[in-house]
Amino acid sequence: GMVIKDFLSEYQFHTLQKMIVWNTECPFYLDPVVAYREDGSISSDLWSWYGIHMVYYNQKSSYLLDPIMNIFGKGFGDIDLLEGKTITRIKLNFYPHTPKVMEHEVHTDEGYGTTAAIFGLNTCNGFTRVKGSGKIKSVANQLFIFDGLTDHNSSTTSNAKGRFNINFNFI
């Protein structure tokens, strides 16, 4: 994987943060399944849920697609790993606070494209664990690019009210 700190300018980052993080006008839809287990079953753990907002998928888009693409669009073109790739999915994730950091099921982003990128919207002690790369900390304004077909999993946070990020998938 590749970590890029301070990916956006301070102005762009704060503009994006204001649109999403603890913005009562930005809808998140509650999903009881963060990831399916290998056998297709789901976790019955009460803490295992998250909020999502599908910005773009399957030709359907939300009101956030244009502002997000205006902010990120050109930046992705500067990254060799993403050159010539097409975005197939953009999803906002909200992971709730838990008394101790809890890890969700391991999964791959198969079906969404081969390359994944996670953009941190706030800094907290949550993380994404990627096989071969270890724990990638949740850091505001940090972009982490990795092979979406590699086993990985998300986590909750114990030192913030929630963990917010944007998940991009490319083909």
Side-chain angles (χ1 to χ4, degrees), residues 15-156:
T15 302
L16 185 67
Q17 220 181 16
K18 274 189 214 126
M19 282 191 282
I20 299 166
V21 178
W22 300 119
N23 179 340
T24 54
E25 292 180 12
C26 178
F28 276 85
Y29 300 89
L30 305 183
D31 190 339
V33 183
V34 178
Y36 289 92
R37 294 195 174 118
E38 270 180 47
D39 66 5
S41 67
I42 61 171
S43 170
S44 56
D45 294 318
L46 298 179
W47 57 266
S48 188
W49 64 274
Y50 72 147
I52 65 167
H53 176 118
M54 203 60 81
V55 175
Y56 176 76
Y57 182 58
N58 258 350
Q59 273 93 54
K60 287 202 281 269
S61 59
S62 91
Y63 73 97
L64 285 171
L65 181 61
D66 285 343
I68 285 176
M69 288 313 295
N70 287 338
I71 290 171
F72 282 95
K74 293 179 183 71
F76 287 142
D78 298 336
I79 301 168
D80 292 343
L81 279 175
L82 300 179
E83 208 179 346
K85 290 196 164 89
T86 303
I87 296 175
T88 52
R89 182 177 74 157
I90 303 172
K91 183 169 72 109
L92 307 182
N93 297 317
F94 165 81
Y95 302 98
H97 167 273
T98 47
K100 66 178 217 224
V101 175
M102 305 297 281
E103 294 191 49
H104 302 112
E105 304 296 328
V106 171
H107 67 281
T108 67
D109 287 359
E110 199 177 352
Y112 301 115
T114 51
T115 305
I118 295 171
F119 181 79
L121 288 166
N122 69 324
T123 299
C124 64
N125 65 355
F127 55 87
T128 301
R129 184 188 297 279
V130 179
K131 191 177 181 177
S133 298
K135 283 185 191 178
I136 307 302
K137 293 178 179 164
S138 284
V139 177
N141 201 10
Q142 174 179 283
L143 187 73
F144 171 57
I145 303 166
F146 64 105
D147 182 342
L149 304 181
T150 304
D151 283 351
H152 61 280
N153 64 274
S154 52
S155 82
T156 62

